[in-house]
Amino acid sequence: MSRHHDARELKAEGLHLRYDRELVVHGIDIEIPAGKITVIVGANGSGKSTTLRGLSRLLKPSSGSVTLDGHDIHSMPAKKLAQMIGLLPQHPTAPDGITVADLVSRGRHPHHTWIRRRDHDDDAVVAAALRATSMIEFADRPVDQLSGGQRQRVWIAMALAQDPDILLLDEPTTYLDLTHQIELLDLLTELNTTYSTTVVMVLHDLNLAARYADHLLVMAAGRVAGEGMPRDVLTPGMLSAAFGLESLVIDDPATSAPLIVPIGRFHCRPHPSIQEAS
């Protein structure tokens, strides 16, 4: 949150990921656009969170590779990688009794050496991260005394304090009400536009994904079903194939991004495109 970030080339080639004997991701090729916001979407079990874990080095490929600026991430020193890639996993856990400020300050550890310890610059970055996530007033409170939504914002603050070039987030809007979801996604957009932070996140809400993504990646059955700009990817045919969802895609009146209107069996009035399809 304190510097203009370098453009990093994060790529996966022939990436296979598995849990024990179960192959979850099947030989995918991905190139994350530097300095953009990429959103990964897909139905439950499609492999989207597994893909993010593979990109972050949490999960080692059974074959294929993930490279950062041409270097295999599994051969890079952990601290060096953490200076360039930050991760907010899906279900992080905090040590018992740790305060909000202490947890967020752990995001600064990758930038410390035996010579350079925590200093005023670190304190300023931590404070900025707490302010950005509206958690500054909770700085001295134990994390385990917070609500689910507040805890999620603390973890996001820690990821921001890490100040990486690439920020990976697995369902960062979990536990957040709609107001805080929009605030968080606006914050990530601000980081992207102000500091050129590359953002890659998994989202469940397709309409939020369509609104905030520069680049959309659709996963289905462990493979890439489609990728590109949201308007090019989120078609009724893609939504049917990847999600089993019958829908209309119209213009969002607030942003002109594609807006997905699901068609259910109830509470739907006749629409010309529905009548034509039938």
Side-chain angles (χ1 to χ4, degrees):
M1 294 187 63
S2 61
R3 62 186 175 90
H4 189 276
H5 293 117
D6 296 329
R8 301 286 180 186
E9 184 183 69
L10 182 62
K11 294 175 63 176
E13 295 182 297
L15 185 64
H16 290 78
L17 298 168
R18 65 174 68 241
Y19 295 112
D20 297 324
R21 296 183 179 181
E22 181 184 1
L23 186 63
V24 179
V25 171
H26 303 262
I28 63 174
D29 297 320
I30 297 174
E31 185 168 349
I32 300 299
K36 302 294 184 181
I37 296 177
T38 295
V39 179
I40 304 174
V41 298
N44 291 340
S46 62
K48 55 187 184 296
S49 291
T50 302
T51 297
L52 197 76
R53 287 170 61 86
L55 293 174
S56 69
R57 201 166 83 165
L58 276 184
L59 190 59
K60 189 172 184 177
S62 56
S63 64
S65 65
V66 177
T67 58
L68 180 66
D69 294 341
H71 302 285
D72 191 312
I73 63 172
H74 291 273
S75 65
M76 298 177 65
K79 181 169 283 192
K80 181 178 180 180
L81 184 66
Q83 292 172 4
M84 295 182 280
I85 296 181
L87 171 69
L88 175 65
Q90 195 169 25
H91 300 294
T93 56
D96 290 340
I98 192 170
T99 66
V100 167
D102 285 342
L103 182 60
V104 175
S105 69
R106 293 192 175 197
R108 301 302 301 158
H109 287 183
H111 301 279
H112 296 163
T113 65
W114 67 275
I115 295 176
R116 184 192 180 281
R117 301 294 184 180
R118 181 171 173 173
D119 57 23
H120 293 301
D121 289 340
D122 293 318
D123 293 338
V125 172
V126 169
L130 288 169
R131 282 194 296 271
T133 53
S134 302
M135 292 303 294
I136 191 75
E137 64 183 285
F138 300 94
D140 297 324
R141 187 173 298 185
V143 174
D144 54 18
Q145 293 182 11
L146 301 176
S147 69
Q150 289 168 336
R151 284 196 298 272
Q152 185 74 348
R153 283 151 60 194
V154 174
W155 286 109
I156 292 164
M158 189 182 82
L160 299 182
Q162 189 174 332
D163 200 25
D165 298 311
I166 301 173
L167 187 56
L168 309 178
L169 307 103
D170 194 356
E171 299 186 29
T173 55
T174 300
Y175 304 120
L176 301 181
D177 57 39
L178 183 57
T179 298
H180 285 113
Q181 289 180 40
I182 298 297
E183 286 180 359
L184 167 63
L185 295 171
D186 282 347
L187 171 61
L188 294 174
T189 301
E190 184 178 9
L191 288 173
N192 171 255
T193 55
T194 304
Y195 300 108
S196 296
T197 306
T198 299
V199 177
V200 185
M201 57 182 158
V202 172
L203 289 179
H204 265 299
D205 190 310
L206 292 174
N207 285 324
L208 289 180
R211 177 178 287 196
Y212 285 93
D214 299 309
H215 185 77
L216 199 66
L217 188 71
V218 181
M219 298 291 297
R223 293 179 171 84
V224 177
E227 64 176 315
M229 295 179 63
R231 181 165 298 283
D232 297 331
V233 175
L234 292 177
T235 63
M238 174 63 73
L239 294 166
S240 177
F243 296 90
L245 178 67
E246 186 181 2
S247 63
L248 302 174
V249 180
I250 62 175
D251 287 340
D252 185 329
T255 65
S256 296
L259 180 69
I260 297 158
V261 182
I263 299 171
R265 294 187 297 117
F266 302 100
H267 310 299
C268 287
R269 65 182 183 181
H271 188 280
S273 64
I274 301 176
Q275 294 175 346
E276 290 171 7
S278 60

